[in-house]
Amino acid sequence: EPEVTQTPSHQVTQMGQEVILRCVPISNHLYFYWYRQILGQKVEFLVSFYNNEISEKSEIFDDQFSVERPDGSNFTLKIRSTKLEDSAMYFCASSGISGRSEQYFGPGTRLTVT
Amino acid sequence: TQLLEQSPQFLSIQEGENLTVYCNSSSVFSSLQWYRQEPGEGPVLLVTVVTGGEVKKLKRLTFQFGDARKDSSLHITAAQPGDTGLYLCAGEPRPSNTGKLIFGQGTTLQVKP
């Protein structure tokens, strides 16, 4: 069964460093998303991406964040200068043309900023 | 700001009992999803409901979308220890057409053998 994959599973970085989180969405999906979940809190929407551009972004997704689909398979989230409060699980999700809201999530990347 | 409130937040029951988890909002949603999440893993999609009043069944799980599309429920019949986990509801708010999902805070279910 097709699934969303994410790498790395755990990333430790120092405050101020840049990180890139990578995702491979399900191959025939067209809509891509990033969410995050701070430990013990709700899953929060960060950004949606369709047709090579951002469809919507949340207040969390400030100028330090960017997304890119560099080729036909990868979808990346870059944080330019990490802060302690960026520590969280980051989930990539994708959905197909038949059900935009029917989103399939990857296993997540645990980002720890020290 | 659209919010989804889940209740109860924590539920501990004996194997064989029935239970219902609620997901409520004052806002209308285009669709509503139920996910299950294990510790340290991503949410796993269980079901999507899109029509007001819709009822979907997945083995012992019954999902309902409210007529006004503001609420949903998950009913489990004859719960088993394997049902233990975190259940999340998530909705696509109207009039958003970007796929953005709003999540509830989750219901932690513990089924004791």
Side-chain angles (χ1 to χ4, degrees):
Chain A
E1 187 172 322
E3 59 182 19
V4 177
T5 59
Q6 290 185 242
T7 54
S9 56
H10 190 190
Q11 173 95 45
V12 181
T13 189
Q14 289 190 325
M15 194 166 52
Q17 295 297 303
E18 174 182 288
V19 294
I20 298 177
L21 310 184
R22 302 179 192 279
C23 168
V24 178
I26 293 173
S27 63
N28 62 346
H29 281 183
L30 299 175
Y31 300 89
F32 314 110
Y33 313 87
W34 284 100
Y35 293 82
R36 79 171 187 189
Q37 186 176 33
I38 295 171
L39 187 64
Q41 298 187 22
K42 291 184 186 183
V43 176
E44 299 175 287
F45 169 80
L46 292 178
V47 66
S48 58
F49 190 87
Y50 170 70
N51 200 25
N52 281 319
E53 58 183 31
I54 291 174
S55 310
E56 185 173 357
K57 58 185 181 180
S58 72
E59 291 177 355
I60 303 166
F61 195 90
D62 62 21
D63 292 344
Q64 294 301 311
F65 290 84
S66 62
V67 289
E68 192 177 32
R69 188 155 161 82
D71 53 43
S73 60
N74 291 284
F75 181 50
T76 62
L77 173 69
K78 182 194 291 187
I79 309 175
R80 288 189 185 81
S81 179
T82 50
K83 299 178 253 202
L84 294 175
E85 54 264 38
D86 293 329
S87 295
M89 279 288 280
Y90 287 81
F91 295 109
C92 172
S94 68
S95 58
I97 194 73
S98 60
R100 186 183 57 227
S101 61
E102 201 165 279
Q103 296 173 22
Y104 295 85
F105 282 71
T109 293
R110 179 171 298 284
L111 177 65
T112 302
V113 183
T114 60
Chain B
T1 304
Q2 293 109 337
L3 290 174
L4 278 170
E5 298 289 339
Q6 284 186 241
S7 61
Q9 288 191 287
F10 184 78
L11 191 54
S12 181
I13 60 172
Q14 292 295 132
E15 183 177 359
E17 292 183 359
N18 301 333
L19 66 114
T20 302
V21 176
Y22 299 94
C23 180
N24 295 301
S25 178
S26 58
S27 304
V28 176
F29 290 86
S30 300
S31 66
L32 203 132
Q33 282 66 236
W34 284 92
Y35 290 86
R36 180 172 163 174
Q37 186 180 27
E38 300 300 329
E41 298 181 13
V44 175
L45 182 64
L46 297 174
V47 77
T48 297
V49 285
V50 295
T51 306
E54 182 175 3
V55 176
K56 280 193 175 178
K57 291 192 175 184
L58 192 67
K59 297 183 181 177
R60 294 176 294 100
L61 278 59
T62 301
F63 305 87
Q64 185 162 10
F65 200 12
D67 290 341
R69 301 165 80 150
K70 294 182 179 181
D71 54 84
S72 181
S73 63
L74 157 61
H75 182 79
I76 301 179
T77 303
Q80 299 176 0
D83 296 327
T84 294
L86 178 65
Y87 291 84
L88 302 171
C89 66
E92 183 181 11
R94 300 184 79 175
S96 170
N97 62 352
T98 64
K100 166 186 174 180
L101 292 181
I102 304 293
F103 277 80
Q105 77 272 39
T107 294
T108 299
L109 172 64
Q110 181 186 58
V111 182
K112 298 181 220 176

